[in-house]
Amino acid sequence: AQKITQTQPGMFVQEKEAVTLDCTYDTSDPSYGLFWYKQPSSGEMIFLIYQGSYDQQNATEGRYSLNFQKARKSANLVISASQLGDSAMYFCAMREDTGGFKTIFGAGTRLFVKA
Amino acid sequence: DTAVSQTPKYLVTQMGNDKSIKCEQNLGHDTMYWYKQDSKKFLKIMFSYNNKELIINETVPNRFSPKSPDKAHLNLHINSLELGDSAVYFCASSPPMAGPRGDTQYFGPGTRLTVL
């Protein structure tokens, strides 16, 4: 069973607008971590934001925020005021505390920011 | 001041050869990982070491052998390379879970392996 689902293979957004990248996850572990990473065309994996399963508030890091809806098992990434440099692949990931603390990545969403 | 470094960045080799990829981190982290990213960008964990001890060993052919000489290094040796081994290999490291960013993994720049 797929543990991390990113249903949007590709998305377009106009520069300066906000965009939401969807991520749903599946776990029965009460303790887990959720992550978003950005991979630009240059290939490196850049950490964006982290949300712990027990965190009461949604995580924010600059223009990035994570819309954490625990009951729905969703962890959507919101990018505000999109910039051309935001064009990249975005990966959602989950680390469960059981099963050896393995981190599983989603298939990714490719974001295109239009000028 | 690279946090997680990998060498080489590119590796082109013939089928059947043996090759190694080196990884070093200067973040003081206890845990290190190897991931494989295929041509469809799917990222899958291969191995994880914590304080030089193997803690995750996914279903990876025996031709792949990680070695951690110390906490700051995790190397990947691949024997008898096959065409299907062509991919980008990422090393990563992470701190313990406590802290505002949990056990966030920090990735190296990747090694693009091409097997001809």
Side-chain angles (χ1 to χ4, degrees):
Chain A
Q2 203 160 20
K3 295 242 180 182
I4 295 281
T5 303
Q6 295 181 253
T7 55
Q8 307 149 313
M11 283 198 68
F12 286 87
V13 65
Q14 196 67 39
E15 195 180 8
K16 297 180 187 174
E17 291 185 352
V19 63
T20 298
L21 306 184
D22 294 342
C23 174
T24 57
Y25 60 92
D26 182 26
T27 182
S28 54
D29 194 332
S31 180
Y32 51 90
L34 297 158
F35 308 83
W36 277 92
Y37 286 85
K38 172 185 178 181
Q39 187 175 40
S41 56
S42 50
E44 70 267 35
M45 293 286 288
I46 302 167
F47 164 74
L48 296 178
I49 198 164
Y50 162 81
Q51 179 85 42
S53 58
Y54 293 119
D55 294 342
Q56 298 291 328
Q57 298 204 328
N58 287 343
T60 59
E61 295 264 4
R63 293 187 299 113
Y64 305 106
S65 59
L66 199 152
N67 185 357
F68 181 43
Q69 298 190 38
K70 197 169 181 176
R72 295 180 60 189
K73 293 187 177 175
S74 79
N76 298 340
L77 176 70
V78 180
I79 306 175
S80 62
S82 295
Q83 302 171 356
L84 295 178
D86 293 335
S87 294
M89 279 287 281
Y90 288 81
F91 293 96
C92 179
M94 175 180 69
R95 183 263 304 132
E96 292 172 302
D97 287 2
T98 55
F101 300 91
K102 197 166 53 175
T103 299
I104 299 165
F105 284 77
T109 295
R110 186 170 291 280
L111 178 67
F112 300 91
V113 180
K114 300 182 289 184
Chain B
D1 249 42
T2 308
V4 183
S5 59
Q6 292 178 231
T7 52
K9 191 163 170 58
Y10 299 96
L11 188 51
V12 181
T13 187
Q14 299 285 337
M15 258 175 34
N17 283 351
D18 303 339
K19 290 292 178 187
S20 292
I21 306 171
K22 294 187 177 182
C23 177
E24 177 181 1
Q25 54 96 3
N26 62 7
L27 297 166
H29 291 165
D30 288 343
T31 309
M32 295 185 73
Y33 312 80
W34 277 109
Y35 286 87
K36 179 180 180 180
Q37 187 175 43
D38 63 24
S39 58
K40 295 183 178 175
K41 300 291 188 182
F42 186 66
L43 198 66
K44 191 170 190 302
I45 190 162
M46 300 172 70
F47 302 103
S48 175
Y49 271 74
N50 182 264
N51 272 319
K52 303 195 302 173
E53 185 182 332
L54 182 66
I55 56 171
I56 294 175
N57 185 353
E58 284 297 279
T59 309
V60 175
N62 290 340
R63 299 182 294 103
F64 290 79
S65 53
K67 283 187 173 49
S68 182
D70 55 57
K71 226 171 65 164
H73 296 84
L74 179 62
N75 303 325
L76 183 65
H77 188 75
I78 316 170
N79 289 328
S80 305
L81 277 154
E82 299 177 357
L83 294 176
D85 298 333
S86 294
V88 179
Y89 292 83
F90 284 99
C91 176
S93 72
S94 67
M97 262 186 282
R101 288 184 173 176
D103 59 340
T104 294
Q105 293 177 33
Y106 296 90
F107 283 76
T111 295
R112 182 173 293 277
L113 171 65
T114 303
V115 182
L116 303 174

